[in-house]
Amino acid sequence: MGILYHWINAIPGTANIGSYGLAIIALVLLAKIVLLPVFHAQLKIGQKTQREMAKIAPQITELRKTYKGNELTGKIKEVYLEHGVAPLSPFLGCLPAIIQVPVFVGLYFASNDHQFFQTLHANANFLTIDLTHPAHLTNLHTWPLPFIVVATLFVQTRLFAAPSSEKDPKKPVVRDAVADIQKMAPYLMPLFILYICFLPITTQAVVLYYLVNNLFSIVQQYLLKFSIDKRIKSNSTIQSNEEAIEKQNSNFSKGNLDNESHRS
């Protein structure tokens, strides 16, 4: 952090914004570059899970007609395992954050190291927010970062959520523990993070890191998803063209056989 702070603080005008906060943003960018392969693999797994969930939706509906209670939950788990679907797929969106826990811990100790700021004569303020202090419920000035973090995490988690099967209003509602977890996951994680953001041990520097990390993740996800979808669409187009050519050749061969039979 000290090296990043020195480099950024040397740029004219950065001190007015907050060189320490900009150093945290630069740290996020470096971490995202290093974790790009992990994020790409995570996105591919998430998209595969969504496709499989869409395929097995009719099968799950039929199981709900036949089984109830714990037996239904067991049968649904068997279907998930058979198709390689992770029941807790909504939590995949939190995987990069879990990997970066050591960075959060290191940043926490750095933001509480008063000798660091005294030695570098560093200013811990970023856009008038003191990054060395935690957020307080009684201080509205400290609310923006935690609540923006929750909003971005909610969006990020929803983007990774697997699609659920359509409900028929005429059919009775059947309790499904796995489905309940999938529905609650996008709401539980943001609420838990909000609680963490207001803990006395969580400095605003850690909250800022988490916020910028989520923003980069959302943009990164859209770019990678667009690239993967474009590749899948291209492969589907090629496959459709090959099938059309094969069908045309089959019809042509059939027509030749018919002509030969008429001649004979």
Side-chain angles (χ1 to χ4, degrees):
M1 280 295 295
I3 297 175
L4 288 174
Y5 176 82
H6 273 302
W7 288 350
I8 293 175
N9 195 50
I11 301 174
T14 55
N16 297 329
I17 301 174
S19 299
Y20 185 64
L22 293 176
I24 292 175
I25 295 175
L27 181 63
V28 174
L29 181 59
L30 290 176
K32 299 305 291 185
I33 293 174
V34 173
L35 293 175
L36 182 60
V38 177
F39 189 88
H40 188 268
Q42 168 210 358
L43 182 58
K44 291 179 68 176
I45 294 173
Q47 288 189 327
K48 179 183 177 182
T49 301
Q50 290 181 2
R51 291 194 298 268
E52 292 298 328
M53 287 293 291
K55 290 180 182 179
I56 66 176
Q59 190 174 353
I60 297 297
T61 302
E62 293 299 324
L63 289 176
R64 286 174 175 160
K65 294 178 181 178
T66 309
Y67 303 98
K68 294 181 180 180
N70 294 332
E71 190 175 7
L72 171 63
T73 302
K75 291 294 182 181
I76 291 178
K77 287 181 179 179
E78 290 178 5
V79 175
Y80 284 169
L81 291 174
E82 181 182 351
H83 291 267
V85 175
L88 299 181
S89 57
F91 289 103
L92 287 174
C94 307
L95 181 60
I98 296 174
I99 296 176
Q100 295 180 74
V101 167
V103 181
F104 296 154
V105 175
L107 186 60
Y108 165 76
F109 285 107
S111 60
N112 284 280
D113 186 1
H114 298 287
Q115 185 177 0
F116 167 80
F117 294 100
Q118 292 176 359
T119 303
L120 299 179
H121 302 286
N123 185 0
N125 289 334
F126 178 72
L127 299 176
T128 72
I129 299 175
D130 190 347
L131 299 179
T132 61
H133 288 78
H136 294 279
L137 291 173
T138 56
N139 186 357
L140 297 179
H141 185 66
T142 63
W143 284 26
L145 289 182
F147 279 98
I148 296 175
V149 163
V150 170
T152 56
L153 184 60
F154 177 79
V155 172
Q156 186 182 6
T157 307
R158 292 290 295 178
L159 288 175
F160 276 94
S164 58
S165 57
E166 296 182 357
K167 295 181 179 180
D168 189 347
K170 297 181 181 180
K171 296 179 181 178
V173 178
V174 181
R175 295 289 297 177
D176 179 8
V178 177
D180 289 342
I181 293 175
Q182 290 178 334
K183 293 176 183 178
M184 293 174 63
Y187 304 96
L188 291 178
M189 195 62 182
L191 292 177
F192 175 73
I193 294 300
L194 181 63
Y195 169 75
I196 295 296
C197 288
F198 278 97
L199 287 178
I201 61 172
T202 307
T203 61
Q204 293 278 62
V206 176
V207 178
L208 176 63
Y209 182 98
Y210 200 67
L211 168 61
V212 179
N213 176 74
N214 286 347
L215 291 174
F216 272 113
S217 295
I218 292 172
V219 174
Q220 193 177 39
Q221 179 182 351
Y222 270 115
L223 293 177
L224 289 175
K225 187 175 183 298
F226 175 79
S227 176
I228 294 174
D229 289 344
K230 186 177 180 181
R231 191 181 309 165
I232 294 174
K233 185 177 180 181
S234 177
N235 293 337
S236 300
T237 302
I238 294 173
Q239 184 177 359
S240 299
N241 292 337
E242 290 178 350
E243 291 176 354
I245 294 173
E246 184 178 354
K247 184 177 180 180
Q248 185 178 2
N249 293 336
S250 176
N251 293 335
F252 180 75
S253 300
K254 184 179 179 181
N256 289 338
L257 290 174
D258 291 340
N259 291 335
E260 290 179 1
S261 62
H262 284 308
R263 290 177 183 176
S264 60

